[in-house]
Amino acid sequence: AYTTYHATRKTTSIVKSALDPQSSAAGFKFPWRITYLSSPAETQRRSWVLGDGWAPFNGSDGTALLGQLDVAFLAVYAIGMYFSGHLGDRMNLRIFLTVGMIGTGLFTSLFGVGYWANIHSFYYFLMVQMVAGLFQSSGWPSVVAVVGNWFGKKKRGLIMGIWNAHTSIGNITGSLIASTLLSYGWGWSFVVPGLLIAFMGILVCLLLPVSPESVGADRQEEEDDDAVDSPKKKREGVTEPLLGSHTEMKENAVGFIEAWRIPGVAPFAFCLFFAKLVAYTFLYWLPYYISHTAIEGKYLSDETAGNLSTFFDVGGVLGGILAGHISDRLDARAITAATFMYCAIPALYFYRSYGHISLAMNIALMFICGMFVNGPYALITTAVSADLGTHSSLNGNSKALATVTAIIDGTGSVGAAIGPLLTGYISANSWSAVFTMLMAAALVAGLLLTRLVVAEVAARISETRSQGRSQSRSQEPELNV
């Protein structure tokens, strides 16, 4: 489900080159050919003539208008996230997710319909993007809540780390679909992903079990150390129909303010603000940065730069899995997230300082950046959100997962909107200043978790000491003999 959300979200960045030929394409295209230019401006001189593209985006302010679409989408997405989490804990998640996916598909397609309807009003595209952002905000709280319902805390980090690969897969899939269809008319690049997510929404409505109880399974108790962290079936088969009503669930949903007060929610939410600021700056600006940076004294074409930037996503997949696995083994989410953010600082510095030496060096350092930047981002938006949504302070109430997830990711999405916006202004003067901003954001993200890190370290030390005492007691009878 969320792969299709990301596929529709990625479409706009690919079609920018058709709407405004002065914009650089950021798509993953086959076959992959490395092509060079003598300078970054050569593409503009070669292919851009004022009046090409699609009005109103083909004027001198076309890039600014496209940037406004991005900011409007992310702003509505961030605000809508808070409301979506509130609704998600009070509605059937299967129905809520279905409405969000079909609505996203409809308004993504309506953007593409502007191609055949010959629409040139900026406000039409702006409103369509804003409503699409509102429907998109329903996705993340819903899917995290569903997955969080099915898996216990012991292996949740690893499972969700692997599952979170859908973000990168969705980005690459969306790029492939949009790039392939662009030659048939840019409208198809919106309509086909829109129809795809709507179709997946129908499948979700028909097939998705939102919790173990919805199919007659019994949720495994967390205290049972010897048990596998997966739901047990009552008897051997499913005892209730999937599409039936669930009248036995009497839990009251947790309020917005009450969810903020859950220990750990605020620090992780503000940490994600800065972590997502870094991640989304790379998402929106990395292809542009690569094409405007001389590698081995040569400039890459826009197409090659877009292809190359996908190594950041590949590194992010590995980073998400590693962060989840390490946090499971250490039973320390804050320590893992903070460590990754601190490691991202030298990774960003080395990429800026040495990425131009060779293509291989650029790819390797970009991969490492993706691993350390997206690792904690993936961990916080998945396993951490699910953990806090089932926190012990809730006394077993499971009606907080979507709200907590929305608070954390919604706060992070505000950073996701601010980062690319600031980069647009700062990069005009200096890319070194942009990387300084990103390193500072990574540092602040790590520092915001300091109190939780100290608490986890103290808990590990206390646990080690108690284990040492229990072992010494067990050896006492042998010493007496």
Side-chain angles (χ1 to χ4, degrees), residues 73 77 103-104 107-108 127-137:
F73 174 88
Y77 177 80
T104 298
F107 282 90
T108 300
M127 290 303 299
V128 167
Q129 276 291 82
M130 290 173 70
V131 179
L134 187 63
F135 276 106
Q136 284 250 2
S137 68

Side-chain angles (χ1 to χ4, degrees), residues 92-107:
N92 185 312
L93 283 171
R94 177 171 52 81
I95 301 300
F96 187 59
L97 187 57
T98 299
V99 171
M101 294 178 75
I102 293 176
T104 298
L106 173 63
F107 282 90

